[in-house]
Structure formats: C-alpha cells, structure tokens
Amino acid sequence: MSSTYLWTIIVLASLMNFFLRAVFVEAYGRIKFPRIVEKGLYYVPAAVLSAIIAPAVLTPGGEWLPLQQNPQLWAALMASLVAWYYKSIFRTMLVGLLVFWGLQWLGMG
Amino acid sequence: MTKQFNNPRHAFWSGVRTIMAMAPGIVPFGAIIGVTARDMDMSLLATLAMSMGYYAGAAQIASLQLMADGAVLLVVLLTTLLIGLRFGLYSAAIAPYLQGVPRIQRLPLLYALTDQSFNLSIVNYRANMAPELAYSYFVGTSIAVWVIWLFAVLLGATLGEAIPNTWSLEFFIPLTFISILLPILRGKDVVGAALVAAIVTMLGQGLPYNLGLMLGACGGIAAGLLIDHYAGVEDE
C-alpha cells in the first residue's frame, strides 16, 4: 500500500464525508425539496436505524445463522423489549450485553 | 422519550451521559478499527487522521478492507460515498433546526454528526424543545461520541492483539441503535417504515458497495409515506 494511495483516500474520503454531513444544512433555503421528500424526511431516523440494525443482527458476520447459533439475534430481541418498555439506553445496553454474554457462555454461537 | 432540561448546561451533560451509557457499544467498534489499521501496518498518524477525517466507523472499516485487498482508489471512494449517503439524509432532516446557529459553531457540529448524535437529537427538535436546549444536548452527544471514538481507536491501535477477535465485539454497536430506535417507534407509519427498511435491506444484502443500506432506508421512507397517505389522518 503506497503512501500516496493511502493519503489520497484519507483526504478525499474525509472531504466527501464532511460534504455529505453539511450540504443540506448549508444549502437550506437555496435547495427546495418537493413536498413529498420533505415529508419523507420525517421517517429518516426509523428507516436508517432499522436498515443498520437488521443485517447486523440477522446476519452477523455476513451469513444467515440457525436460530440456535445466533446469540446476537436473541440479545437484540431482549434488548428491543427493554428499550421499548423502559425507553432507557442504559438498561437496553445492559440487558443486551448480559444476554449476549450469557448465551455465549452457555455455548451458543 | 423527550427529556426535560432546566438549562443548556443540564442539557449538555445529559447528552454526554446518554453517550456514556452507549460507550460499551462504541468503544469496541473503534478499537476494532484501531486493531485493523495496526495489522495493516498503518502509522498511528495515518490511523488517527483517517479516524478523525472519515469520522465514520462503517465507512472506515470498509475502506481499510478494500485497501488491504488492493482495490483501486475509485472503488474505495465510491464505497465510502455510498455508505456515507445516509449522512445526506441526516443533513436534510436536521437542516431546518440548525439555521439559527452561527456557521462557526454549526460547521464543527456537522463535521461531528454521527448516527448516535443525530438520531438522539432530532427527537428533541421535533418535540419542539427550546432550540438552545436541544442544541446543547446535541453538542453534548457530539463531543462525547468524538472523544470516546478517538480514544477507542487509539486503544485498539496501541494495544492491538490484546483485544481478541473472538469476543464478537462488533455486535455491541447495533445495541446502541436499538436503544434509540425502539423508543421512537410510534404510529403505524413509523413502524411500517422501520419494518420495510429492514426487509429491503436484507433483500439487498448481496448488492455491491453497501447499496442495500440506502435502498433499505429509501424503501422504509417510501413505506412510511404510503402508510401515512392511505391509513393516515385518524392516527396521531
């Protein structure tokens, strides 16, 4: 891996990420979205979070696993219940970690 | 789950504390990146510059893997771009709420925009929290993620193999997202958006450049709009 290759990627990718993060805030008022897009932005948190969570939990490591070999899935389900019921980030993390470690300790996954 | 804050300082520290509770999810992810970079013989300077510059774990790990495989520059950049597109969605969604913030404060905050800080903070803005309180909370979460993240990368890059791969530590990051997502699932449209996003993402999993994520997100958004349009008016 050459140093030019590495640093070109670092610089360009960093600029790209900053641009993506800032662009619509800075262009606000100058770019007018169609009404439907504006309404659709309401669903961004739920849709994006779900799209990140699903593969991480259903196919950890990139493969579908049998239910009895996927502690991630069970830990995520228990954590989801806790998150939904208590709306507490601390409890959600705690239960997710404990269930995951517990199942691994029992030999799952 | 909108919080009540007495003043900006209270809001700021509440943001910091919220992220601290997520640290068990964030630290292992950052550490894995540090270890990966170290295994590729990247210098500490390059590792830190990349982590600060990208400031996006999923994109960085994908880039590192591609670079280790000797992928051409354009492929690495295209992959980063596509994984980063969700930031464009975040940027568009948060835009109306940041217009009162001076640009000199706004740009650093946007640089530090993450899945966690955005998704936690937009809830407050949408619940019509006083702008200075919502802003302080946002800044608190953003600074806390930044410090924890770079600390974790450094930890991985220096300790290296002391962190075994077999711990499946990468699982802990989705837990942070679960803790944010479940409390905001209210209304048929929002639940539908989340479900369809998950299904479409899974269907699109084989696609190159991590296209599945963006397809899933857009599918979810479309589902939310459709459900709102057809089932709409009576609920919420």
Side-chain angles (χ1 to χ4, degrees), chain A residues 47, chain B residues 192-198 200-201 212-226:
Chain B
L195 281 178
V196 171
V200 175
T201 305
L213 171 74
M214 257 330 256
L215 270 185
C218 292
I221 290 168
L225 286 168
L226 280 172

Side-chain angles (χ1 to χ4, degrees), chain B residues 26-43:
Chain B
I26 300 171
V27 170
F29 192 27
I32 286 166
I33 286 181
V35 174
T36 309
R38 182 194 157 111
D39 287 349
M40 289 169 62
D41 292 323
M42 261 174 76
S43 69

Side-chain angles (χ1 to χ4, degrees), chain B residues 134-152:
Chain B
Y135 171 75
S136 297
Y137 179 85
F138 193 8
V139 172
T141 56
S142 302
I143 291 179
V145 176
W146 196 84
V147 171
I148 293 176
W149 180 251
L150 292 172
F151 165 77

